[in-house]
């Protein structure tokens, strides 16, 4: 068994899936100006795994390492090395590459008993899902969030409007579902999409407590794309990131979609629909990939900061040097979370399900990343100063016979000619200040849930007992009557 090539992947996207953008249906995402460059960037990832110098790092026995259930600390390190290769290929700006949900599928396979309930046994479909994804080297995505219509009402209270995906009929061969889910990050580029919920549901939401996987070409499935930054990009020179790494986000709508039982992972069970993410290693595997990508993204942004400081001839100034030092410290911090989560690994199901990154560190990484990213962006913007604003409209100006000489005279710095300076500033703006950059700042804050949810979960599930015990040990070490230590 071997992984598929980039061309194999691109061909799989030409399956008649229903994608909508700007009021028009997109016939082929691999050729449409809003998606083709990003599709090509994703195809490059598959080529790296299929046949390149990185193949031994990215795969084992013909399977991408993200699909393998890690059995040891060394396996976690090997999986992280694979995540790092793909993260560097997109400079950290492709968040939901195939290895993200692949880790979730491996998490399901590590603890399939979580899917077995008194009324529905989803363990076999969960194992079959993992096997199908791994053996086919498929690209899985997910949509797990309910539309933001009225968060004061449960999904059951909004049933009459069919706002949230729910079961509307049951047949011998499967179920029929109707409603919507958000946010389908990279779903337009995926082979299959998991539809479910990751937050706890009240008992009355049983009709909505269903998790299933759908091929994107399933009849009745629609993806409504947000604005494409790739389509708005003028060129790779002017928009080096958004022109190639816009993974897109889409609203998924199901219009009486039939789902065969073999693709149904949980069914009408609010506990199982929640536990499948949190009582298997699935979510911690998500964090492992995301933390590695976040570390890579900070490396990239810090590299931009260093290049800006050198191009501005300010690198040796103490305030600039301090800012660079702070950014490098944040890179080390992001790296430390990855290494610490691996080193604090925990056994899954008494070791029968292999190992998973440590829970405490994985949960803490979510908090750290959401808070740190906006700070890093702000620091680099301050380093760049007004140069990010005073830029030529496009690279074409540099080629113009009259404008080019003017720009080469006035838009330069010692040791950095105008073309190189403009190229760097265009990259910095795309990463820090463009609409594409604004989406990424919002993404880094919310892609693993709202920050307040992460903080509350850390308070509930973090090792507060050890902290409390240490403080109490000090309190118990002396008393008022003696005034001396015990």
């Amino acid at each position: 068994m071997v992984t598929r090539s980039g061309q194999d992947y691109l061909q799989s996207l030409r399956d008649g899936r229903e994608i909508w953008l700007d009021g028009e249906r997109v016939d082929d995402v691999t050729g449409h100006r809003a998606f083709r460059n990003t599709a090509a960037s994703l195809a490059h990832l598959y080529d790296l795994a299929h046949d390149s110098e990185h193949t031994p790092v990215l795969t084992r026995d013909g399977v991408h390492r993200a699909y393998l259930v890690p059995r040891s600390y060394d396996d976690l390190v090997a999986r992280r090395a694979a995540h790092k290769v793909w993260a560097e290929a997109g400079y950290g700006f492709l968040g939901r590459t195939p290895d993200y949900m692949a880790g979730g599928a491996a998490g399901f396979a590590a603890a399939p008993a979580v899917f077995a309930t008194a009324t529905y046994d989803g363990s076999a479909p969960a194992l079959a899902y993992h096997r199908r994804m791994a053996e086919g080297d498929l690209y899985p995505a997910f949509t797990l969030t309910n539309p933001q219509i009225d968060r004061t009402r449960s999904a059951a209270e909004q049933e009459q409007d069919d706002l949230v995906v729910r079961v509307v009929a049951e047949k011998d061969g499967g179920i029929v579902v109707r409603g919507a889910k958000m946010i389908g990050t990279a779903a337009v580029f995926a082979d299959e999409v998991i539809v479910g919920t990751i937050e706890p549901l009240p008992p009355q939401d049983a009709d909505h407590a269903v998790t299933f996987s759908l091929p994107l070409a399933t009849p009745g499935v629609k993806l409504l794309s947000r604005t494409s930054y790739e389509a708005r990009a003028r060129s790779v020179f002017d928009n080096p990131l958004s022109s190639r790494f816009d993974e897109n986000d889409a609203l998924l709508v199901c219009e009486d979609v039939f789902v065969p039982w073999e693709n149904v992972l949980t069914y009408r069970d609010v506990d199982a629909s929640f536990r499948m993410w949190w009582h298997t290693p699935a979510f911690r595997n998500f964090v492992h990939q995301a933390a590695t990508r976040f570390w890579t993204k900070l490396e990239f942004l810090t590299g931009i900061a260093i290049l800006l400081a050198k191009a501005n001839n300010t690198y040796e100034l103490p305030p600039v040097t301090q800012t660079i030092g702070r950014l490098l410290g944040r890179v080390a911090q992001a790296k430390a979370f990855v290494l610490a989560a691996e080193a604090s690994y925990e056994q899954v199901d008494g070791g029968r399900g292999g190992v998973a990154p440590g829970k405490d560190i994985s949960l803490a990484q979510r908090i750290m990343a959401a808070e740190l990213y906006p700070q890093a962006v702000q620091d680099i913007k301050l380093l760049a100063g007004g140069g990010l604003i005073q830029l030529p409209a496009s690279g074409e100006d540099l080629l113009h016979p009259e404008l080019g000489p003017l720009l080469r005279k006035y838009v330069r710095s010692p040791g950095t000619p105008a073309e190189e300076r403009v190229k760097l500033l265009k990259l910095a703006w795309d990463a820090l200040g463009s609409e594409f950059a604004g989406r990424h700042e919002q993404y880094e804050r919310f892609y693993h849930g709202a920050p307040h949810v992460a903080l509350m979960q850390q308070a509930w599930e973090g090792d507060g007992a050890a902290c409390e015990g240490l403080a109490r040990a000090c309190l118990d070490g002396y008393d008022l009557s003696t005034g001396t230590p015990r």
Side-chain angles (χ1 to χ4, degrees):
M1 186 166 60
V2 295
T3 58
R4 59 181 176 173
S5 68
Q7 277 303 120
D8 293 336
Y9 162 68
L10 291 175
Q11 183 58 41
S12 74
L13 298 179
R14 304 182 183 107
D15 57 5
R17 61 190 59 200
E18 191 170 348
I19 312 295
W20 289 85
L21 172 70
D22 292 335
E24 296 181 356
R25 181 168 176 175
V26 177
D27 292 329
D28 179 3
V29 297
T30 68
H32 194 279
R33 65 186 181 86
F35 306 103
R36 62 193 177 201
N37 291 342
T38 302
S41 295
L42 292 165
H44 175 62
L45 301 184
Y46 278 102
D47 281 333
L48 289 177
H50 178 70
D51 185 17
S52 81
E53 61 181 315
H54 301 289
T55 300
V57 176
L58 287 163
T59 67
R60 192 183 76 192
D61 300 328
V63 177
H64 194 287
R65 288 187 184 273
Y67 278 117
L68 302 177
V69 176
R71 299 291 172 182
S72 66
Y73 167 75
D74 288 341
D75 286 347
L76 288 175
V77 172
R79 184 173 71 184
R80 179 243 300 163
H83 290 325
K84 194 74 166 68
V85 170
W86 271 10
E88 289 181 355
Y91 308 103
F93 283 86
L94 291 172
R96 296 285 169 82
T97 44
D99 53 337
Y100 184 87
M101 185 58 216
F108 301 160
V114 173
F115 294 84
T117 70
T119 56
Y120 181 77
D121 188 353
S123 58
L127 289 170
Y129 171 78
H130 172 251
R131 185 168 55 254
R132 182 172 71 254
M133 294 292 108
E135 292 179 354
D137 195 23
L138 300 184
Y139 189 161
F142 61 59
T143 54
L144 305 177
T145 305
N146 294 336
Q148 292 178 321
I149 297 174
D150 187 351
R151 293 290 172 86
T152 66
R153 296 191 296 160
S154 69
E157 293 173 317
Q158 304 179 69
E159 277 186 5
Q160 68 275 13
D161 300 319
D162 289 323
L163 299 178
V164 180
V165 167
R166 68 184 179 98
V167 180
V168 296
E170 183 177 319
K171 298 183 177 181
D172 290 341
I175 58 176
V176 178
V177 297
R178 183 188 304 155
K181 284 283 182 176
M182 56 180 274
I183 302 169
T185 300
V188 298
F189 301 109
D191 291 294
E192 293 193 21
V193 58
I194 279 193
V195 183
T197 183
I198 200 167
E199 70 271 8
L201 296 174
Q204 65 266 30
D205 280 356
D207 284 345
H208 303 267
V210 58
T211 311
F212 52 89
S213 185
L214 290 170
L216 265 295
T218 301
V221 173
K222 289 181 170 64
L223 286 175
L224 282 58
S225 170
R226 61 144 166 85
T227 295
S228 169
Y229 309 128
E230 178 179 326
R232 293 183 173 186
R234 301 190 64 166
S235 67
V236 175
F237 182 90
D238 292 304
N239 311 95
L241 300 173
S242 55
S243 64
R244 298 178 292 163
F245 306 115
D246 180 18
E247 62 188 347
N248 209 278
D249 309 280
L251 176 72
L252 178 138
V253 178
C254 293
E255 296 182 331
D256 292 341
V257 173
F258 176 74
V259 185
W261 286 117
E262 56 264 30
N263 284 11
V264 178
L265 306 183
T266 69
Y267 185 61
R268 294 181 54 80
D269 191 303
V270 296
D271 290 332
S273 297
F274 176 75
R275 286 163 54 89
M276 64 175 283
W277 305 106
W278 303 103
H279 290 240
T280 73
F283 189 82
R284 280 188 271 175
N285 289 351
F286 290 162
V287 176
H288 196 205
Q289 185 271 358
T292 304
R293 178 199 57 80
F294 183 77
W295 160 27
T296 304
K297 195 173 187 179
L298 282 189
E299 285 183 320
F300 174 74
L301 292 177
T302 300
I304 289 178
I306 293 171
L307 292 175
L308 285 170
K310 290 183 175 180
N312 291 338
N313 204 26
T314 60
Y315 188 76
E316 302 296 333
L317 297 179
V320 174
T321 302
Q322 291 169 20
T323 298
I324 297 297
R326 183 162 54 247
L327 289 166
L328 286 169
R330 287 170 175 160
V331 171
Q333 183 180 352
K335 177 181 178 180
F337 270 89
V338 177
L339 303 187
E342 294 166 358
S344 61
Y345 70 89
E346 301 168 11
Q347 290 189 335
V348 177
D349 191 21
R352 289 180 290 274
V355 299
K359 179 187 287 187
D360 271 5
I361 304 299
S362 296
L363 294 178
Q365 194 277 340
R366 300 163 61 202
I367 299 169
M368 177 277 299
E371 295 176 350
L372 193 152
Y373 190 81
Q375 297 169 7
V377 168
Q378 178 69 9
D379 281 348
I380 303 171
K381 282 183 176 180
L382 291 174
L383 281 182
L388 289 179
I389 301 172
Q390 189 61 62
L391 275 172
S394 78
E396 294 297 318
D397 289 350
L398 288 162
L399 301 177
H400 191 276
E402 184 175 349
L403 300 180
L406 293 176
L407 291 172
R408 290 185 179 87
K409 179 178 180 180
Y410 294 113
V411 186
R412 61 185 175 85
S413 59
T416 306
E419 289 187 13
E420 288 302 311
R421 180 174 172 78
V422 171
K423 186 178 182 180
L424 172 59
L425 289 171
K426 289 278 190 181
L427 173 61
W429 180 252
D430 213 16
L432 304 169
S434 65
E435 189 174 358
F436 171 82
R439 179 264 179 194
H440 270 269
E441 184 168 333
Q442 194 75 350
Y443 177 83
E444 297 296 351
R445 290 175 184 263
F446 286 95
Y447 75 96
H448 272 161
H452 71 273
V453 175
L455 291 168
M456 292 173 65
Q457 187 175 17
Q458 185 77 16
W460 291 333
E461 300 190 34
D463 196 1
C467 302
E468 182 181 354
L470 187 61
R472 190 165 296 282
C474 182
L475 287 172
D476 292 342
Y478 58 92
D479 57 38
L480 181 63
S481 61
T482 64
T484 58
R486 290 177 179 172

